Amino acid sequence: MLFTHHPRYADLTPAQYAEGLAWLRRTGMVTAMNRPVVEIGDGELSDMQTASAVPPVQWSRAAEDARRAIGAAGEDALLRLLRRGGVPEVRHVAAESDAYGYDVEAARSLTERAHLEVKATTDPTRLVIHLSRHEYEVMTTDLEWCLAAVLVGADGNAVNVATVSRRWLHSAVPVDKAKEGSWESARLKVPASAITPGLATGVWRLLPDALIPSKPVWGLQPSAPLPV
């Protein structure tokens, strides 16, 4: 019930979570008492880890909650920009379900539509995103899908909005080498050459560049060509 209905676990199916647990058991990462061999916490070694020299995993609930808060702030900031810019149809589909594979539907007309996957950050020095397998597979089949990168300021508003090249995303994700295993999430450091200032999809733009904040970040150049 938790995996089926809680939004934090909607990225994978219950069967995928069960297979993940089974794999952890097969590889010895989970004990017979269903306890992790690797301590997930603040980095301090437990007695069991000290004896077995198993390195800790640096992770905390606070950091995960902060990452989710930044993501939500980025989506909200982009929604405000689209609505202030007069985009006639704006729908926050991520608030309904993670099944879409993108966060925002926006349309200027019947022929000018976009499905926006929003990746937010507060780091102006580099753009690092986490792309799920589901988001990637939607990208490969949906010509209206595009990835919008949002730099969120201290006030919660967008400091910069840019578009990440679909072609680069396709070249950067891992490649499954065997049918027995597949990647489910990828951490990608996006180079400046794969980022275009503004909010573009295909050959048209959702908003005029003058309406989009464009503080120089991530090594962007104002005259960078539009990657497709």
Side-chain angles (χ1 to χ4, degrees), residues 74 77-78 81 119-121 124 127 148-153 157-163 195-199 212-218 220:
L78 187 60
L81 274 177
K119 299 299 182 184
T121 181
L127 178 59
V150 179
L151 179 65
V152 181
N157 290 316
V159 177
N160 190 289
V161 177
T163 306
I195 310 171
T196 298
L199 193 57
I212 298 179
S214 56
K215 180 179 178 180
V217 293
W218 307 324
L220 292 178

Side-chain angles (χ1 to χ4, degrees), residues 55-122:
V57 175
Q58 300 294 330
W59 181 90
S60 70
R61 173 57 63 188
E64 178 67 12
D65 290 344
R67 185 181 69 82
R68 292 180 182 276
I70 292 171
E75 293 174 18
D76 290 341
L78 187 60
L79 288 166
R80 289 194 295 271
L81 274 177
L82 293 170
R83 288 163 178 158
R84 283 203 303 265
V87 177
E89 184 180 331
V90 179
R91 180 183 171 196
H92 190 195
V93 298
E96 304 169 15
S97 172
D98 288 331
Y100 289 92
Y102 53 87
D103 301 306
V104 176
E105 287 184 356
R108 297 186 66 87
S109 67
L110 291 176
T111 58
E112 293 180 330
R113 307 183 66 87
H115 296 155
L116 303 171
E117 172 58 31
V118 183
K119 299 299 182 184
T121 181
T122 56

Side-chain angles (χ1 to χ4, degrees), residues 5 11 34 45 47 70 81 86 107 128 141-142 153 227:
H5 297 287
D11 55 338
N34 286 330
L45 292 177
D47 292 340
I70 292 171
L81 274 177
V128 177
T141 59
D142 183 356

Side-chain angles (χ1 to χ4, degrees), residues 19-71:
E19 175 56 28
L21 178 58
W23 179 83
L24 289 172
R25 287 171 175 159
R26 290 195 301 270
T27 56
M29 294 298 290
V30 174
T31 69
M33 300 299 293
N34 286 330
R35 299 291 299 173
V37 172
V38 177
E39 180 69 19
I40 300 176
D42 59 8
E44 294 185 4
L45 292 177
S46 66
D47 292 340
M48 179 176 64
Q49 287 177 297
T50 303
S52 61
V54 177
V57 175
Q58 300 294 330
W59 181 90
S60 70
R61 173 57 63 188
E64 178 67 12
D65 290 344
R67 185 181 69 82
R68 292 180 182 276
I70 292 171

